[in-house]
Amino acid sequence: MSFLGAPDDGDVYNGLSADPCPCGAGLAAAEAKDDAQPPLVDPSALQELGSQLASPAVAQGFARDYTNMWDRRYHSLATSLDSGDHAAALDAVLSLKTSSAMVGGVRLAQLARELEDAIRVRDADLARLLLREVADSGNETVDELQFSYLKEN
């Protein structure tokens, strides 16, 4: 199965999607239940993380690291899916899902959960559709974190 795509047009790992439609199953489902779509970022997640760690600075550092690692995480996920390495793909998507939830990336965490399910049942077509959505949502999540949460420092 081939998964070409990129975190965004300016990144090194850019390519054309094998999917002729830029929308995937998750997007179609979100359009069907537009009111139920989760927010892109929930800022209370980072506030809660800062409280749990008794250090808002540590939570902010986590958010900064998350944004800095986005391209590598996406590339690892896309590469493992492209090569058919299901164990590596599962590891990459679980890491993405968990870290996205911790940073408040609600929509990306949900898409990662859907992609995890597709990987587990080895549904390459659905995984291909969801990977493009993960790329788009990941870029938007990183942009939102940088603009709203990290811009102050």
Side-chain angles (χ1 to χ4, degrees):
M1 97 181 110
S2 177
F3 295 95
L4 298 175
D8 65 35
D9 292 336
D11 291 325
V12 171
Y13 307 111
N14 194 9
L16 298 174
S17 174
D19 177 21
C21 175
C23 58
L27 182 59
E31 288 173 352
K33 55 181 182 178
D34 193 34
D35 295 334
Q37 187 173 13
L40 185 62
V41 175
D42 178 4
S44 68
L46 282 171
Q47 293 169 350
E48 177 66 23
L49 181 62
S51 294
Q52 290 174 355
L53 299 172
S55 175
V58 172
Q60 189 170 36
F62 179 78
R64 186 174 294 105
D65 290 345
Y66 177 90
T67 62
N68 290 336
M69 291 179 60
W70 164 242
D71 288 344
R72 281 177 277 162
R73 282 182 203 255
Y74 176 82
H75 178 67
S76 175
L77 178 58
T79 301
S80 61
L81 285 170
D82 189 37
S83 69
D85 186 343
H86 291 91
L90 192 56
D91 184 56
V93 79
L94 288 170
S95 174
L96 178 63
K97 179 180 76 171
T98 302
S99 60
S100 296
M102 288 177 66
V103 83
V106 179
R107 196 174 306 163
L108 183 55
Q110 178 178 317
L111 284 169
R113 189 170 31 258
E114 291 176 31
L115 181 54
E116 174 191 356
D117 292 343
I119 292 168
R120 287 187 187 278
V121 299
R122 297 180 185 248
D123 186 339
D125 292 334
L126 180 57
R128 186 177 299 112
L129 293 172
L130 289 168
L131 184 63
R132 183 71 240 167
E133 288 186 59
V134 164
D136 293 341
S137 183
N139 289 326
E140 292 172 2
T141 298
V142 166
D143 289 347
E144 180 66 22
L145 287 169
Q146 289 174 334
F147 179 75
S148 297
Y149 191 73
L150 298 173
K151 73 175 182 174
E152 297 169 2
N153 294 320

